[in-house]
Amino acid sequence: MKWTEPGGKDSDRAYAAARKAYGTIGVDAEQAIERALAMPVSLHCWQADDVQGLERHEEALEGGGILATGGYPGRPRNGDEIRADLARALALLPGVHRVNIHALYAEPEDGPVDRDALRPEHFKRWLAWAKAQGIGLDFNTSFFAHPKANDGYTLAHPDPAIRRFWVRHGVACRRIAEHMGRTLKSPCTLNHWLPDGAKDSPADRWGPRARLVKGLDAILAEKHKVSRRWCRDTVEGKLFGIGSEDYVVGSNEFYAAYALSRGIRLCLDMGHFHPTETIHDKISALLCFHRELLLHVSRPVRWDSDHIVLFNDDVRAVFQEVVRGGALDRVAVALDFFDASINRIAAYVIGARATRKALLSALLEPADALQRLEREGKGAQKLGLMEELKTMPFGAVWDRLCRVAGRPAGAAWLADIEAWEREAIPARSGR
């Protein structure tokens, strides 16, 4: 199929008509485009290589609570190829972006370095690349896929020596994140996610949580002298996952309370809740008490999982809540999904474009008018307007956003993906 880009006079006329249509309900499409382009979205490096990382622990259990399924050809073999693929994806994405790195993507030059001994210089290639790209970096502790995480516990482990190892890892990651933020003059979000939990019926749910509190407190201790201006500590809860189907130490309730009591940020991951549970209602509830949230945009299917983000009702509802509450400056947005069954760069582009589409869609909603109708008791008018919004000419505004950003509109970006496949897959497959 020939992938062509909508453009020319027909596209201009379609946008002019769309702008007029939105104007009749009090929405400025130009302003919505400007605001949607300005919101940073952080791309996750681990989609590029199926969460493999750049270290090798033969004695570590595969994944450690994380599993990317599929074997699509062309997976990057090293850090340079990961960064090349990220750059290719960024060239197809409109708007401001960042890149999110896990600690297991370190590149020490003098041989392997264990995770408790990681230093900022082990990420200098990432920093040089980010400077060249003109983007900020975010960072993540890696409490999984390591010999000291094989039995499912890290900071909540009953063995003090293993807990001390992971505390040192957390402290090392805070120093790395601070260095990244300070060097790039852009605060670095450091997300702490732990897989700690039990597969079946633990007899003691209290002890691990008490140990986790102490471990996190030890990582965040002021004696480490890490600037919170440049390192933005965030904790991420979970419902359940591989190997922790019955009990997760760091549940959403645990971390909501911990973050609030310690003055750090809470992360809501869309893929880490019950399949019948969505996060959009939690945003207004939590922001009554928390100053900020990190939103991991993902797509759950059946149970705890991270599928490629689509422009669906769930992701649209998340951004509707943020925009309706005037909270765009109180949330940070990052992607978190991994799919090894399709072209990995295409997965980035599909998910990131869907996320920004949802943001734009929310900004094209007459939130003030809807809320006024509700206050006036005009429920039928409110619901009727919400329904009419679903058939507004959104696509023409999205195409305009892409052209304003100098990125391909419509499905034209797929031509670049197919060109990459012709170039890169044979080279990476040794053919």
Side-chain angles (χ1 to χ4, degrees):
M1 181 178 291
K2 186 176 182 181
W3 306 106
T4 58
E5 181 171 359
K9 293 182 179 179
D10 288 344
S11 183
D12 291 340
R13 282 194 291 267
Y15 174 66
R19 185 180 181 187
K20 183 177 180 180
Y22 280 105
T24 63
I25 58 172
V27 175
D28 185 338
E30 290 285 302
Q31 185 181 77
I33 288 172
E34 182 179 346
R35 293 181 70 193
L37 286 171
M39 183 74 180
V41 175
S42 196
L43 271 64
H44 50 313
C45 75
W46 51 96
Q47 160 57 34
D49 75 332
D50 313 338
V51 209
Q52 294 293 304
L54 299 177
E55 60 181 24
R56 292 293 178 267
H57 287 290
E58 294 181 2
E59 67 274 34
L61 293 179
E62 181 68 26
I66 295 178
L67 179 64
T69 57
Y72 200 84
R75 186 172 73 192
R77 299 163 294 182
N78 51 55
D80 289 337
E81 290 184 350
I82 291 173
R83 287 183 285 271
D85 288 359
L86 278 163
R88 191 111 185 196
L90 288 167
L92 300 173
L93 298 176
V96 177
H97 291 89
R98 305 172 62 84
V99 165
N100 203 1
I101 304 169
H102 246 296
L104 72 163
Y105 288 82
E107 295 171 283
E109 295 180 348
D110 299 325
V113 173
D114 212 346
R115 292 188 198 169
D116 64 335
L118 289 172
R119 299 188 303 276
E121 56 263 36
H122 299 144
F123 295 87
K124 66 181 182 181
R125 293 183 185 177
W126 284 104
L127 274 166
W129 177 79
K131 281 185 179 179
Q133 291 285 325
I135 60 174
L137 293 178
D138 296 312
F139 200 59
N140 298 262
T141 51
S142 296
F143 288 91
F144 62 93
H146 187 280
K148 288 185 170 60
N150 275 352
D151 58 3
Y153 288 91
T154 60
L155 285 181
H157 202 285
D159 184 341
I162 290 180
R163 294 201 303 273
R164 287 193 294 270
F165 173 88
W166 289 114
V167 166
R168 291 195 299 271
H169 172 65
V171 172
C173 288
R174 294 189 77 217
R175 290 170 175 162
I176 293 163
E178 180 194 41
H179 178 76
M180 287 178 170
R182 194 184 296 277
T183 301
L184 297 174
K185 300 295 185 289
S186 177
C188 176
T189 290
L190 173 62
N191 191 47
H192 302 270
W193 173 82
L194 293 80
D196 294 38
K199 184 177 179 66
D200 203 1
S201 301
D204 178 15
R205 294 172 181 263
W206 297 72
R209 285 182 170 141
R211 293 193 290 270
L212 179 53
V213 170
K214 291 182 180 179
L216 290 168
D217 283 349
I219 290 171
L220 298 174
E222 292 298 325
K223 67 179 181 180
H224 303 307
K225 295 182 173 61
V226 175
S227 167
R228 292 198 178 188
R229 176 185 177 187
W230 300 113
C231 172
R232 304 296 306 281
D233 290 289
T234 307
V235 286
E236 176 185 345
K238 194 166 186 174
L239 177 67
F240 50 66
I242 298 170
S244 59
E245 289 86 350
D246 188 285
Y247 167 64
V248 173
V249 183
S251 65
N252 182 62
E253 293 79 10
F254 176 95
Y255 279 127
Y258 185 84
L260 189 62
S261 65
R262 298 320 192 254
I264 61 175
R265 193 158 53 182
L266 175 68
C267 173
L268 295 179
D269 187 304
M270 294 179 68
H272 289 182
F273 292 87
H274 193 278
T276 62
E277 187 179 19
T278 57
I279 75 165
H280 67 274
D281 184 56
K282 303 179 190 300
I283 293 171
S284 59
L286 289 164
L287 284 179
C288 285
F289 306 99
H290 294 253
R291 287 194 306 170
E292 295 177 327
L293 295 174
L294 169 63
L295 304 178
H296 269 192
V297 184
S298 189
R299 180 169 58 97
V301 175
R302 294 186 180 272
W303 69 296
D304 170 58
S305 59
D306 295 282
H307 288 65
I308 299 166
V309 176
L310 301 179
F311 184 48
N312 62 11
D313 288 346
D314 286 347
V315 72
R316 291 175 67 184
V318 165
F319 286 100
Q320 283 172 345
E321 283 303 306
V322 172
V323 171
R324 289 173 185 174
L328 277 177
D329 61 344
R330 298 179 65 193
V331 300
V333 177
L335 304 181
D336 188 4
F337 55 81
F338 29 90
D339 191 328
S341 69
I342 69 170
N343 181 292
R344 296 168 182 83
I345 300 175
Y348 273 131
V349 179
I350 292 167
R353 286 170 75 106
T355 299
R356 204 167 296 274
K357 281 179 186 175
L359 173 59
L360 176 64
S361 178
L363 290 166
L364 288 169
E365 183 184 80
D368 290 343
L370 290 169
Q371 291 170 359
R372 183 176 64 253
L373 290 170
E374 187 167 84
R375 288 194 302 270
E376 293 172 355
K378 297 179 178 179
Q381 292 89 330
K382 178 202 68 177
L383 194 60
L385 180 53
M386 284 180 167
E387 281 298 294
E388 293 305 316
L389 287 169
K390 294 177 181 177
T391 53
M392 292 287 284
F394 169 77
V397 185
W398 169 253
D399 287 346
R400 178 73 169 191
L401 177 147
C402 291
R403 291 195 299 275
V404 167
R407 296 296 188 264
W413 61 271
L414 285 163
D416 191 88
I417 297 298
E418 292 182 348
W420 178 91
E421 291 201 334
R422 291 191 295 270
E423 300 162 9
I425 289 180
R428 294 182 185 181
S429 301
R431 296 197 298 271

